[in-house]
Each structure stands twice: as C-alpha cells, then as structure tokens.
Amino acid sequence: MYGLSVRWSLEGVDPDVAQRLRAYVVGTSLERFSGMPGLRFKTWRMRPGEWFEGTYVWATQEARDGFAATFTAEAAESPGSRIVGAEPVLIEPFEVVAVAAGGEGFAAGPGPGPR
C-alpha cells in the first residue's frame, strides 16, 4: 500500500479554524472520499493550534502518485488551504508497511469532535 500525508500548520491561526475544519471534513470531505476508486482509506488528524493532516492510503503507487500530482498542483486553492489561510507545509508520500485491524474492528465516519 502507498500513503500520502498532507499537513497544514495551525500555529497562529484563528481559534475557530479547528471547528471549521471539523465541519468541512464531516459535512463535505468525508463523503467525497468515501468509496473513491483506488483509495483504501483516508484519515483526517488534528492537533488544534498545532497541525491538521489528511493521511491517505492508496491501493497502488499509480493511484497515489496521480492524486498527489493533481493535489499538489491545486494545493493553494484546496478547501483545507482556504480554511487555514495557507498552503500545506508538507505533502509527503510514504510506504505503508502493514495495517492491523484491532479487536474493535474498523470504523468509518466522524470522530469524537472537539474536547
């Protein structure tokens, strides 16, 4: 499997950016990536005030590299960049060595929300 991380810095952004990112992911992005051809799964991760990241795992290197090329060309105009107010600080391909499904099983959908 083939991964791609896209990370934005949240240092110094307005405090409401974290909630706006949550709302965008749950209200729009989750549906867009659910069932996407070539994509095994996508995880959105965030440390409010520090960073926000999309982590993608693709079935093939071609699927990953094609998405990465398209995204990189449009990164400045992506919804994440518009919400954060800046381009990603990292767009990084990686190798997925293994994935283990835990005893609780794999769950898709929104996470716990703000603390």
Side-chain angles (χ1 to χ4, degrees), residues 22-45:
R22 283 185 200 94
Y24 167 72
V25 168
V26 173
T28 302
S29 196
L30 186 60
E31 183 177 337
R32 174 181 175 219
F33 287 97
S34 294
M36 179 177 275
L39 183 67
R40 295 263 186 209
F41 62 89
K42 178 178 180 182
T43 302
W44 294 264
R45 304 182 329 136

Side-chain angles (χ1 to χ4, degrees), residues 8-24:
W8 288 263
S9 173
L10 298 182
E11 292 183 19
V13 301
D14 289 334
D16 72 327
V17 166
Q19 185 54 38
R20 290 173 48 215
L21 287 165
R22 283 185 200 94
Y24 167 72

Side-chain angles (χ1 to χ4, degrees), residues 6-10 50-52 54 71 78 80-81 84 86-89:
V6 178
R7 182 176 283 197
W8 288 263
S9 173
L10 298 182
E50 295 181 33
W51 51 262
F52 173 76
F71 182 84
S78 70
S81 295
V84 171
E87 293 182 40
V89 295

Side-chain angles (χ1 to χ4, degrees), residues 36-104:
M36 179 177 275
L39 183 67
R40 295 263 186 209
F41 62 89
K42 178 178 180 182
T43 302
W44 294 264
R45 304 182 329 136
M46 179 165 51
R47 290 187 56 94
E50 295 181 33
W51 51 262
F52 173 76
E53 179 177 278
T55 304
Y56 307 77
V57 175
W58 300 92
T60 66
Q61 185 174 354
E62 294 77 18
R64 190 252 337 256
D65 292 350
F67 178 84
T70 300
F71 182 84
T72 299
E74 301 170 354
E77 301 303 319
S78 70
S81 295
R82 290 194 312 267
I83 294 168
V84 171
E87 293 182 40
V89 295
L90 174 74
I91 301 174
E92 179 179 61
F94 59 90
E95 173 188 349
V96 177
V97 176
V99 174
E104 296 300 316

